Amino acid sequence: MAVTDEAITKIKDMIISGKLSAGDRLPPEKELSEKLGLSRSSLREAVKALEIIRVLDVRRGDGTYVTSLEPQLLSEAMTFIVDLHQDKSILDIFAVRRILEPAAAAIAATRITPEQITALRATMENINDETSVESLVDHDLVFHELITAAADNSYLASVLNALSSSTVRARIWRGLTQEKAVDRTLAEHTAIIEALERGDADLAKSLLTVHISGVEHWLRQAL
Amino acid sequence: MAVTDEAITKIKDMIISGKLSAGDRLPPEKELSEKLGLSRSSLREAVKALEIIRVLDVRRGDGTYVTSLEPQLLSEAMTFIVDLHQDKSILDIFAVRRILEPAAAAIAATRITPEQITALRATMENINDETSVESLVDHDLVFHELITAAADNSYLASVLNALSSSTVRARIWRGLTQEKAVDRTLAEHTAIIEALERGDADLAKSLLTVHISGVEHWLRQAL
DNA sequence: GCATCATAAACATCCGACCATTAGACTTGC
DNA sequence: GCAAGTCTAATGGTCGGATGTTTATGATGC
């Protein structure tokens, strides 16, 4: 194994074993490189790799720290990866979403707060036929993130958010607007909000399944 | 943004835009660094970061290539990340598994092949009270991977495999053996195989839910 | 045709220098 | 005493080049 990979493994192990905890500061690059027995250049490659997957947080002029390792950071790292995979088999990704998101909605229905309902309704305002694709994507992102957030499981939210990154959504919404399917999508969103508000987990789950399947169906014929 | 991060973004964009496709070879480090306007050292940090998330494949003495970007590679990258998160909220991770794996089993029940059934049974052989924890973990890994593989959705399998990495499993099995719960776990595995063999999707789904919930329950009281 | 070897290309590693930024100590002025 | 500004040491960011190691490839000889 290359020295850089060894360094990555060593740092990873230090975190898993608890020698390094969330928020801890690593020794300066020069010192750590000597300790691990490699050059600063090679160590920096290792640190950069761990930085991109949100394990380390490098602050210039200050030092390098272990991130909070919160689930949300998993989402960022996963999104980066999924963005690169999306063209390969977007339908497979959608199939996973179709499993997770209805389940998330069912959980959300049992514990969503009035404030979250209000926030959901807010995503529906000021949307009409002239709304730009970018704006539609933004609202759609917030809508679905609010639902997954209401399910109160950060990992569930992370995986879902990564699987439906804004890059993926953008391409889909572009298609939806061309197909004049925006109205239908918004109507489904409205129905979902109402089900959540009534605490009807079963209906919310089914509505989400229908909602996602609809987009999936459009995708299937568009490809 | 630092030059290294710019390089990461540029390479990523080249892949997303299609200028670089799976299997393509990148220009030599020296040439690419000049093209992107940064030093070779900095470029190498970018390449290393993309290598660890399985986007680039660096072959010493040969060159650097874009990986196949197959879903399985997503799993490797995700596993690396999840390993670092596991202590934070393993119960949340289990909750996601409890959603995904029963759904995967239901799909698997409709399309599993006799060969896959045979392979599943094979994971049950030679297991008894003296079997080491490491061996139990291995068999358990194969058992669940076979089910997710039978569902025939690489992304579903990738996410599931990452969420139940061997590191996570190892700790759980250590607990299970202490609790003398190995027999029960194996009995549940047997029941799942039979349901899959009969093509009973509904039962397979429920059995998986029960199976995972059982472990979840043990975990909840152990923590 | 096949095995062996020589060569060049490409990545791996290291070193040392210098730049840019930051946190924190310090000074200043009130 | 306190607030604002300043200075400095620590730390990461970037670079260029030198050298080692591995691999692919073509030449060579049989």
Side-chain angles (χ1 to χ4, degrees):
Chain A
M1 194 192 282
V3 292
T4 300
D5 295 310
E6 274 178 30
I8 291 175
T9 304
K10 283 179 185 170
I11 296 173
K12 182 186 176 185
D13 288 346
M14 281 194 281
I15 296 174
I16 291 180
S17 71
K19 281 176 195 162
L20 280 176
S21 300
D24 281 2
R25 175 177 171 169
L26 273 67
E29 291 181 347
K30 187 171 186 301
E31 189 181 327
L32 184 57
S33 63
E34 286 166 1
K35 188 177 169 188
L36 297 181
L38 75 170
S39 71
R40 194 183 153 214
S41 319
S42 299
L43 173 67
R44 278 185 57 79
E45 290 181 19
V47 170
K48 195 75 202 179
L50 291 171
E51 187 190 9
I52 208 184
I53 59 172
R54 302 289 189 277
V55 168
L56 295 182
D57 178 20
V58 182
R59 304 177 203 161
R60 187 173 183 174
D62 183 1
T64 302
Y65 298 79
V66 178
T67 66
S68 60
L69 292 177
E70 281 167 9
Q72 180 221 331
L73 299 174
L74 171 70
S75 176
E76 289 179 28
M78 256 191 82
T79 301
F80 189 99
I81 302 170
V82 170
D83 273 353
L84 287 159
H85 282 73
Q86 57 188 0
D87 272 331
K88 298 286 288 181
S89 41
I90 197 170
L91 284 175
D92 277 354
I93 292 179
F94 248 79
V96 181
R97 259 192 83 189
R98 195 169 76 176
I99 296 169
L100 282 179
E101 202 151 333
I107 299 171
T110 68
R111 56 178 73 173
I112 196 164
T113 65
E115 290 74 28
Q116 289 172 314
I117 292 286
T118 306
L120 274 173
R121 286 202 197 287
T123 67
M124 309 288 298
E125 293 168 5
N126 305 321
I127 300 251
N128 54 50
D129 288 348
E130 272 81 47
T131 308
S132 71
V133 170
E134 288 70 27
S135 182
L136 285 170
V137 170
D138 284 345
H139 284 81
D140 189 44
L141 260 175
V142 174
F143 179 83
H144 287 274
E145 277 181 8
L146 280 169
I147 293 177
T148 56
D152 200 27
N153 179 328
S154 302
Y155 281 90
L156 177 53
S158 289
V159 173
L160 261 175
N161 292 340
L163 289 180
S164 46
S165 72
S166 64
T167 321
V168 177
R169 279 202 162 85
R171 196 168 59 248
I172 291 169
W173 273 97
R174 256 188 286 283
L176 288 177
T177 51
Q178 281 165 11
E179 296 280 332
K180 317 276 188 200
V182 176
D183 285 347
R184 181 182 149 197
T185 305
L186 293 180
E188 289 177 354
H189 279 194
T190 304
I192 290 166
I193 295 175
E194 286 170 6
L196 289 173
E197 189 169 23
R198 285 203 309 277
D200 192 335
D202 223 42
L203 179 58
K205 184 175 182 180
S206 297
L207 283 171
L208 249 302
T209 305
V210 171
H211 180 52
I212 295 175
S213 300
V215 180
E216 196 179 344
H217 179 258
W218 169 77
L219 259 179
R220 204 178 293 274
Q221 66 179 37
L223 292 177
Chain B
M1 195 193 285
V3 293
T4 301
D5 295 308
E6 275 179 29
I8 292 174
T9 304
K10 282 179 184 171
I11 295 173
K12 183 186 177 186
D13 288 346
M14 282 195 278
I15 296 174
I16 291 180
S17 70
K19 281 177 194 161
L20 280 176
S21 300
D24 282 0
R25 177 178 169 168
L26 271 68
E29 290 180 347
K30 187 170 187 302
E31 190 182 326
L32 185 57
S33 64
E34 287 167 0
K35 188 177 168 187
L36 297 182
L38 76 170
S39 72
R40 200 185 143 216
S41 320
S42 300
L43 174 66
R44 278 185 58 78
E45 291 180 19
V47 170
K48 196 74 199 178
L50 292 171
E51 187 190 9
I52 207 186
I53 59 172
R54 300 291 188 277
V55 168
L56 295 182
D57 178 21
V58 181
R59 304 178 202 160
R60 185 172 182 173
D62 184 1
T64 302
Y65 298 79
V66 178
T67 66
S68 60
L69 292 176
E70 280 167 9
Q72 181 221 330
L73 300 174
L74 171 70
S75 175
E76 290 181 27
M78 255 191 82
T79 300
F80 189 99
I81 302 171
V82 170
D83 272 353
L84 287 158
H85 281 74
Q86 57 188 0
D87 272 331
K88 297 288 286 183
S89 40
I90 197 169
L91 283 176
D92 277 354
I93 292 179
F94 248 78
V96 181
R97 257 191 85 189
R98 194 169 79 176
I99 295 169
L100 281 179
E101 203 152 331
I107 299 172
T110 66
R111 56 179 71 173
I112 196 164
T113 65
E115 292 75 27
Q116 289 173 313
I117 293 285
T118 306
L120 274 173
R121 287 201 196 288
T123 67
M124 309 288 297
E125 294 168 4
N126 305 321
I127 301 252
N128 55 51
D129 286 349
E130 271 81 46
T131 308
S132 71
V133 170
E134 287 71 25
S135 182
L136 285 170
V137 170
D138 284 345
H139 284 81
D140 189 43
L141 258 177
V142 175
F143 179 84
H144 287 275
E145 277 180 9
L146 280 169
I147 292 178
T148 55
D152 199 28
N153 179 329
S154 303
Y155 280 90
L156 177 54
S158 290
V159 173
L160 261 174
N161 292 340
L163 289 179
S164 46
S165 73
S166 64
T167 321
V168 177
R169 279 202 162 84
R171 195 168 60 249
I172 291 169
W173 274 97
R174 256 188 285 282
L176 287 177
T177 52
Q178 283 167 10
E179 296 281 331
K180 315 276 187 199
V182 176
D183 284 347
R184 181 182 149 197
T185 305
L186 294 180
E188 288 176 355
H189 279 196
T190 306
I192 290 167
I193 295 175
E194 287 170 5
L196 288 174
E197 189 170 22
R198 286 203 309 277
D200 192 334
D202 224 42
L203 180 57
K205 184 175 181 178
S206 296
L207 283 171
L208 249 303
T209 304
V210 171
H211 180 50
I212 296 175
S213 300
V215 180
E216 197 179 342
H217 179 257
W218 168 78
L219 261 179
R220 205 177 293 274
Q221 67 179 36
L223 292 178

